Amino acid sequence: VQLVESGGGLVQPGGSLRLSCAVSGFTFGIYDMSWVRQAPGKGLEWVSTFSGAFDSTSYAESMKGRFTISRDNAKNTLYLQMNSLKSEDTAVYYCARRVSGATYDYWGQGTQVTVSS
């Protein structure tokens, strides 16, 4: 199993980034997939989940209206479109396969997002 994130970088406040997570080694479409982030000096924070079974999405409150999670099952890829970025969005962003609740069994290596002027 491999999860490989890409798309991070430096962006100014108010800008946008699109993160990708390329997945291999399991049947991507049937699993819930999530984005989780870790800001400097802080713990892990759940960002968003795309349900495999119900084709539904959920977001942390502070990301609603700014972030959009999506997936392309044909390409085995998970995405996170991030708009109206704020300095507090600076973090390492991980994609993860969700087992249940807040339990994840596979993680990517993470991609750094820095929001700064």
Side-chain angles (χ1 to χ4, degrees):
V1 173
Q2 279 195 315
L3 292 77
V4 180
E5 300 96 336
S6 61
L10 174 64
V11 62
Q12 292 186 341
S16 298
L17 279 177
R18 188 195 196 203
L19 306 183
S20 300
C21 174
V23 167
S24 61
F26 63 94
T27 306
F28 175 67
I30 66 173
Y31 285 91
D32 293 353
M33 296 296 300
S34 298
W35 289 98
V36 180
R37 71 185 185 183
Q38 186 168 28
K42 296 188 177 181
L44 293 171
E45 179 186 20
W46 171 71
V47 173
S48 181
T49 295
F50 199 121
S51 167
F54 303 106
D55 205 30
S56 62
T57 60
S58 56
Y59 299 90
E61 195 63 35
S62 62
M63 287 72 160
K64 285 182 181 177
R66 299 190 300 122
F67 291 9
T68 303
I69 191 171
S70 62
R71 64 196 293 168
D72 185 331
N73 290 341
K75 295 182 178 180
N76 285 355
T77 303
L78 181 74
Y79 302 99
L80 185 69
Q81 177 67 44
M82 304 186 295
N83 299 328
S84 302
L85 283 162
K86 308 173 183 179
S87 58
E88 51 263 44
D89 294 318
T90 294
V92 177
Y93 285 72
Y94 300 92
C95 67
R97 190 176 79 171
R98 192 176 82 157
V99 177
S100 64
T103 302
Y104 307 93
D105 58 355
Y106 290 102
W107 296 76
Q109 83 288 351
T111 186
Q112 176 71 48
V113 171
T114 303
V115 184
S116 175
S117 55

